[in-house]
Amino acid sequence: MANSNMKQQLVNGIRDKVLTMDTMNQSVKNVEYAVRGPILLRAMELERELKQGVKKPFTEIIRANIGDAHAMGQKPITFIRQVLALCQYPDLLSSPSFPEDAKKQAMRILQACEGQSAGAYSASSGIHLIREDVARYIEQRDGGIASDPENIFLSTGASTAIMVVLNLLVSGKGKSRTGVMIPIPQYPLYSATLAEFDAVQINYYLDEEHQWALDVSELQRALDQAKAHCQPRVLCVINPGNPTGQVQSRENIEAVIRFAYEKHLFLLADEVYQDNIYAEGSQFHSFKKVLMEMGPPYSQQLELASFHSCSKGYMGECGFRGGYTEVVNMDPSVKQQMTKLMSVRLCPPVPGQIIMDIVTNPPKPGDPSYQQFHQEKTAVLADLAEKALLTEKILNKTPGIHCNPVQGAMYSFPRIQLPPKAVQHAKELGQPADMFFCLQLLEETGICVVPGSGFGQKDGTYHFRMTILPSLEKLKILLEKLSQFYTKFIQEYS
């Protein structure tokens, strides 16, 4: 028998690989992440071709596919980089080039590091001093509602914290397998993670006709439909929305909390865009604040994990991978298991933890760095607000494109009408119709956006997601080019 197996493995003296597409973890094959999918790969190929002197109808690739502010030209916030530099190279503490408040904050952080070095491992849930600062920030943000540092877990961006919490929640087999309710359109981290964990994805649709509103009756429909094949246990909410840019009202958040409580669901609140609010009349309300102000039984019993990051907001420090989650009403024994799970990954990157400390403990009025910090932060957010309005205005001028107001976050998710001939042609190529449109847009204009099919959308509708991060000058060019290409595309396939 052993000889027979050996013969099967040996073909022309070469044996089969241990790891093949058939023998690999099949759940990984189901993982898709549109933001860095085929569109981006083709954009990178085109960039290489341009560098080699290949003639194209454009001179550069404009990447509007991902929320990476610094890659789009946004300047880092000075104080953040000063404190980080001082922590990473403490010899600079004697330099007169750095303000005293930056030095003081760096020394305070270094004293909390093992061996007073940012190169040392930290505790698995993060440096305790920074967790205390995060808890204080949450208390101030939420009008004095208490936050316990022991409920704060620092993480490698918000993404890792989301994956850790979902990992804790996914269990069971067959009809008892955990079902996770996610908004459609959604940020593909959720669908990718659920595929990896082999959990059941339960789609609830945001209402595009009402500025991507979250309707509780739609949550009920999705829940009822899912009960036949899984055990719904988790409700995910992204506020402000990615890719849809909506900001939830307090009333809506209260309704979602009541629903989650009544249906006995664990609530995940993705709040990484909490600083990015642009529309007049829109305001960020944290789920934690609303939950606590609703009082018992909600405040004492509803389980909640909320997430924040240094990658978005006015900071845009994506590459440093800093984030945190705060858990509320979590079973203490499960919290210990969460710490254990995080300890397997040793600790989040210390530079990311340092940036989260600066974000949650920034310069205060009267500090030497306050004025510059405040001016830089205000300028970034004002610039984004201007670009949010511009995007909506120019796209809505184009017949066949409908763009809801970008109330918050840093994306627009316009709906596009595509002619039947284009849809049919895409089908023949084995591509979703909006993928075909986005690839043609890239090939002819150098503009890189992500098809709506990568985020989920109602059948028969087509969208794309674009960031509002390019400079104002580049964004105007992008929008005009996009509008012109769309008009030409429609004529070609009509």
Side-chain angles (χ1 to χ4, degrees):
M1 187 68 183
N3 286 342
S4 163
N5 284 344
M6 185 64 75
K7 281 175 188 172
Q8 286 173 2
Q9 287 177 357
L10 285 168
V11 179
N12 298 327
I14 300 169
R15 64 180 186 176
D16 291 345
K17 291 188 182 296
V18 173
L19 182 61
T20 68
M21 290 298 284
D22 290 330
T23 63
M24 72 175 284
N25 180 343
Q26 296 302 296
S27 293
V28 173
K29 283 163 71 173
N30 296 327
V31 171
E32 290 184 8
Y33 189 66
V35 174
R36 289 177 181 255
I39 296 272
L40 179 62
L41 295 177
R42 180 58 186 147
M44 290 162 73
E45 282 175 13
L46 288 169
E47 275 181 329
R48 283 193 292 271
E49 289 174 22
L50 284 170
K51 282 176 185 171
Q52 290 160 5
V54 180
K55 292 292 177 202
K56 299 286 176 190
F58 47 86
T59 55
E60 66 170 334
I61 299 294
I62 303 178
R63 291 195 190 186
N65 63 300
I66 196 163
D68 188 345
H70 292 188
M72 293 286 99
Q74 181 181 308
K75 294 281 186 287
I77 300 294
T78 304
F79 186 78
I80 289 176
R81 290 300 181 89
Q82 285 174 331
V83 176
L84 185 62
L86 290 162
C87 287
Q88 293 187 310
Y89 189 52
D91 285 5
L92 293 172
L93 286 163
S94 59
S95 167
S97 301
F98 290 80
E100 286 306 310
D101 53 345
K103 291 178 181 180
K104 188 178 173 186
Q105 188 150 347
M107 286 189 287
R108 181 174 175 266
I109 292 167
L110 286 171
Q111 283 163 9
C113 294
E114 296 294 329
Q116 298 194 3
S117 171
Y121 286 131
S122 76
S124 299
S125 50
I127 295 167
H128 197 268
L129 173 88
I130 298 176
R131 292 164 68 202
E132 288 176 333
D133 285 347
V134 170
R136 203 172 296 113
Y137 160 82
I138 291 170
E139 279 186 19
Q140 289 167 355
R141 181 199 68 187
D142 292 345
I145 291 167
S147 176
D148 184 350
E150 295 305 315
N151 291 334
I152 307 291
F153 294 80
L154 302 180
S155 56
T156 309
S159 303
T160 301
I162 290 166
M163 292 174 78
V164 165
V165 175
L166 282 172
N167 202 359
L168 290 169
L169 283 156
V170 175
S171 66
K173 291 180 181 177
K175 288 186 178 180
S176 66
R177 191 68 175 160
T178 295
V180 180
M181 302 180 72
I182 65 170
I184 299 295
Q186 52 104 20
Y187 174 47
L189 164 73
Y190 291 94
S191 53
T193 303
L194 298 182
E196 184 181 341
F197 293 163
D198 198 25
V200 179
Q201 178 176 317
I202 305 170
N203 296 340
Y204 67 87
Y205 289 87
L206 302 176
D207 185 356
E208 185 170 11
E209 303 309 316
H210 294 89
Q211 298 185 7
W212 299 111
L214 195 169
D215 189 337
V216 171
S217 64
E218 169 58 14
L219 292 179
Q220 186 66 58
R221 179 210 60 78
L223 187 80
D224 291 343
Q225 202 171 310
K227 280 178 178 174
H229 59 272
C230 70
Q231 179 65 50
R233 297 177 68 207
V234 189
L235 171 59
C236 298
V237 181
I238 307 173
N239 179 52
N242 175 11
T244 42
Q246 85 285 5
V247 178
Q248 284 180 267
S249 68
R250 185 192 168 93
E251 292 71 27
N252 189 229
I253 292 171
E254 286 181 5
V256 170
I257 287 170
R258 277 192 289 271
F259 178 86
Y261 174 79
E262 286 162 12
K263 306 304 175 186
H264 203 47
L265 301 171
F266 192 110
L267 190 55
L268 300 190
D270 182 338
E271 299 175 333
V272 302
Y273 297 98
Q274 59 189 260
D275 288 306
N276 300 102
I277 310 291
Y278 317 122
E280 204 173 316
S282 290
Q283 186 185 342
F284 173 73
H285 302 277
S286 79
F287 269 80
K288 158 91 177 293
K289 180 176 192 280
V290 176
L291 173 65
M292 291 301 150
E293 288 179 348
M294 286 172 74
Y298 311 105
S299 59
Q300 292 176 347
Q301 295 183 43
L302 181 73
E303 295 151 273
L304 166 72
S306 56
F307 307 91
H308 195 18
S309 163
C310 68
S311 300
K312 310 303 176 186
Y314 59 91
M315 309 78 74
E317 296 283 10
C318 307
F320 286 109
R321 312 306 301 129
Y324 72 76
T325 181
E326 181 185 28
V327 296
V328 177
N329 293 325
M330 181 181 266
D331 183 310
S333 300
V334 174
K335 205 159 66 170
Q336 287 177 359
Q337 295 296 313
M338 184 168 166
T339 303
K340 179 183 78 176
L341 196 55
M342 293 188 117
S343 70
V344 175
R345 295 163 175 81
L346 296 177
C347 71
V350 171
Q353 295 188 50
I354 291 167
I355 291 178
M356 279 316 305
D357 187 73
I358 306 160
V359 169
T360 56
N361 186 24
K364 294 164 184 64
D367 290 348
S369 299
Y370 176 75
Q371 194 172 353
Q372 184 182 7
F373 174 83
H374 182 70
Q375 283 172 347
E376 290 177 353
K377 175 182 175 179
T378 305
V380 169
L381 294 175
D383 186 52
L384 286 168
E386 185 180 355
K387 291 189 286 192
L389 277 172
L390 179 78
T391 302
E392 179 197 345
K393 186 179 172 185
I394 293 180
L395 289 177
N396 280 332
K397 276 183 184 174
T398 312
I401 300 182
H402 171 72
C403 179
N404 270 325
V406 182
Q407 297 174 331
M410 44 185 65
Y411 313 98
S412 169
F413 196 69
R415 185 173 69 228
I416 49 174
Q417 292 175 4
L418 296 178
K421 198 191 282 188
V423 175
Q424 182 58 35
H425 189 57
K427 194 175 180 183
E428 288 163 8
L429 293 170
Q431 293 173 353
D434 48 10
M435 169 72 84
F436 173 65
F437 170 80
C438 291
L439 279 169
Q440 295 304 304
L441 173 71
L442 176 63
E443 296 288 346
E444 292 194 31
T445 66
I447 295 169
C448 182
V449 297
V450 190
S453 47
F455 300 89
Q457 55 198 349
K458 282 192 174 177
D459 288 343
T461 68
Y462 306 103
H463 301 78
F464 61 85
R465 188 192 82 164
M466 60 167 279
T467 74
I468 59 169
L469 291 173
S471 67
L472 196 57
E473 191 181 313
K474 263 193 188 169
L475 186 64
K476 282 177 183 172
I477 295 167
L478 182 158
L479 292 166
E480 294 295 351
K481 270 189 172 183
L482 199 157
S483 179
Q484 289 162 13
F485 171 82
Y486 175 77
T487 303
K488 177 172 163 278
F489 182 89
I490 294 297
Q491 287 167 353
E492 192 178 328
Y493 286 97
S494 289

